[in-house]
Amino acid sequence: MERIATAIDRMNTAIGRATIWLLFLSVLVSAGNALARKFLSIGSNAFLELQWYLVGTMIVLGSAWVLRENAHVRIEIFSASFPPRLRQWIELLGHSLMLLPFAGAMVILSWPFFVRSWAQNEASLNYGGLLVWPMRGIIVLGFVLLLLQAISQIYHAIRSFAQD
């Protein structure tokens, strides 16, 4: 199990670090679109949607890495004063009883939307917009990565109990 957890951690770290560049690319697309509108009087819904897709992809695919790095938003106003052992229990129970079922449910629920969108080659309703199904696939992939990271986090939490 140690090798599996390590592989999940490495994969999500690599994907998370790679997604950071999508924000830079989004800024370039945004600037290019703004300049084209201002100086050439042309614009594109595809460029606007591409910006959303890039930022959305960064957030969805990067969320597992954020979890891995323990950089997600927390409400530590109370838990900061808890003993370390209690905080470990909260982590374990939170990941096991909340994150794991949530991520699993989202994979199961989002999959049919992706399959239907892909089968229909669904495109944006906006004139000149992009295909929609790739983003639906990214959503499924993001929740799969989050589900895997939840499993890894649960393993690490259990292992930390065994080492104490």
Side-chain angles (χ1 to χ4, degrees):
M1 186 63 192
E2 178 72 29
R3 286 190 308 201
I4 294 170
T6 300
I8 291 169
D9 293 345
R10 286 183 181 160
M11 175 186 64
N12 280 328
T13 297
I15 292 170
R17 287 183 176 159
T19 62
I20 291 170
W21 291 100
L22 296 178
L23 183 60
F24 177 69
L25 187 56
S26 176
V27 169
L28 293 179
V29 169
S30 178
N33 193 31
L35 292 172
R37 285 180 191 268
K38 177 73 174 172
F39 295 113
L40 304 175
S41 297
I42 57 172
S44 168
N45 285 334
F47 282 136
L48 291 172
E49 290 182 7
L50 181 59
Q51 293 170 70
W52 302 335
Y53 283 18
L54 292 169
V55 172
T57 300
M58 180 190 68
I59 291 168
V60 171
L61 295 185
S63 64
W65 179 48
V66 169
L67 176 63
R68 166 72 182 115
E69 295 296 315
N70 203 20
H72 52 292
V73 175
R74 294 176 174 259
I75 303 173
E76 295 179 333
I77 190 166
F78 299 112
S79 66
S81 62
F82 293 166
R85 189 87 164 158
L86 178 57
R87 281 185 280 165
Q88 287 176 322
W89 273 108
I90 291 169
E91 282 289 306
L92 178 60
L93 293 174
H95 288 122
S96 300
L97 301 176
M98 296 177 75
L99 179 58
L100 194 66
F102 171 73
M106 291 307 295
V107 170
I108 292 167
L109 294 172
S110 62
W111 178 254
F113 286 97
F114 164 68
V115 170
R116 184 178 62 230
S117 182
W118 180 66
Q120 295 173 347
N121 203 31
E122 183 181 8
S124 170
L125 296 176
N126 295 319
Y127 176 78
L130 301 176
L131 292 172
V132 172
W133 66 262
M135 277 310 295
R136 294 195 192 274
I138 297 260
I139 291 168
V140 174
L141 177 59
F143 280 112
V144 167
L145 295 174
L146 191 59
L147 180 66
L148 291 172
Q149 192 60 51
I151 292 167
S152 176
Q153 296 298 108
I154 291 167
Y155 168 75
H156 291 302
I158 292 170
R159 193 185 71 190
S160 73
F161 280 117
Q163 291 175 348
D164 287 346

